[in-house]
Amino acid sequence: MPQHEHIELHRKRHGERLDAPERKRKKEARQVHEQATFARKVHGIRAKLHNKKRFKEKATMRKTIKMHEERDAHARNDDDAAKDAALPAYLLDREGVSRAKILSNTVKQKRAEKAGKWTVPIPKVRPVADDEMFRVQTSGKRGNKSWKRVVNKVTFVDDNFTRKPPKYERFIRPSGLRMKKAHVTHPELKTTFNLDIIGVKKNPSSPMYTALGVVTKGTVIEVNVSELGLVTTSGRVVWGKYAQVTNNPELDGCINAVLLV
């Protein structure tokens, strides 16, 4: 028998206390206050983890409440009694579907269109582990501190970036592996241009790599396409567009990418 099943076994054999449901209800009611006390007292990394967990729970709760509200609004408008009742002239042109429902459907449709717009040339890439991405850099007078990391991959560092004092810098991005230009191919024109990189939009391996500006295979970067002369439907010049990296820059010594059009 597993270690933790002795309580269930005892309940099956001998039953529960008569006031067990009431005790359970009171315990659940106390739990809210205990969580609040814990949230006030906790600090450091545990506080961050707790807040992250609570944020996700609240977001799920908000979505559930919103879904119920939309359903109720839809049901109220389809009420039979309301259909039979006399309506004033300014309400006659209104449809039975709730405005909240229409707005919700519009938002969902726009999200679906946006998701379809960003179909990328390489949908799946091999994840890059931290051991491959970083090398441990020892520091301190006797070399016994090992909290610094050197990035082994190609990175993009903005011109306006201000470096921390070397003593306090945790992630070191070597100058030899920094790149500012990319060979971007336009899929429709079948032409390659050497364009300036504006920033790293998303690295599929990790959000931390995105923040550090690490460029690996499959990374979506933003490039300056002002010299290509692309214009929008309203006639404005397009300044920046996204492109996906298709090679391993640390092996090839350059960044090759395909423009997302």
Side-chain angles (χ1 to χ4, degrees), residues 85-214:
L87 291 173
Y90 63 86
L91 288 178
L92 287 172
D93 59 340
R94 294 197 179 182
E95 293 177 358
V97 183
S98 167
R99 179 154 180 77
K101 194 72 178 172
I102 294 167
L103 282 172
S104 171
N105 290 339
T106 311
V107 169
K108 283 176 186 172
Q109 193 176 349
K110 281 186 178 177
R111 278 183 189 162
E113 285 173 5
K114 198 171 183 182
K117 198 184 288 184
W118 303 117
T119 49
V120 289
I122 307 173
K124 288 185 179 180
V125 290
R126 182 182 66 86
V128 183
D130 285 359
D131 297 338
E132 186 185 344
M133 180 67 69
F134 302 117
R135 174 172 59 82
V136 177
Q137 175 76 31
T138 56
S139 59
K141 189 174 181 181
R142 292 166 186 83
N144 58 353
K145 294 178 181 176
S146 55
W147 56 273
K148 288 176 181 283
R149 296 288 181 272
V150 178
V151 181
N152 291 329
K153 304 286 182 182
V154 169
T155 54
F156 168 75
V157 181
D158 192 25
D159 292 332
N160 300 326
F161 172 71
T162 306
R163 188 185 172 194
K164 282 184 181 178
K167 185 179 178 180
Y168 303 111
E169 193 174 29
R170 174 161 163 69
F171 294 105
I172 301 162
R173 297 179 283 186
S175 300
L177 287 172
R178 293 184 188 182
M179 292 188 183
K180 293 186 179 179
K181 284 185 173 286
H183 303 297
V184 182
T185 304
H186 197 294
E188 292 172 3
L189 300 176
K190 307 291 184 189
T191 318
T192 304
F193 305 93
N194 192 17
L195 304 176
D196 293 320
I197 301 172
I198 299 172
V200 175
K201 177 67 178 172
K202 184 172 177 62
N203 189 311
S205 297
S206 167
M208 183 175 71
Y209 300 164
T210 306
L212 287 170
V214 178

Side-chain angles (χ1 to χ4, degrees), residues 230-250:
L230 300 174
V231 291
T232 60
T233 50
S234 58
R236 293 183 178 180
V237 176
V238 178
W239 190 64
K241 277 187 85 69
Y242 296 137
Q244 190 183 31
V245 178
T246 55
N247 70 326
N248 293 309
E250 70 276 6

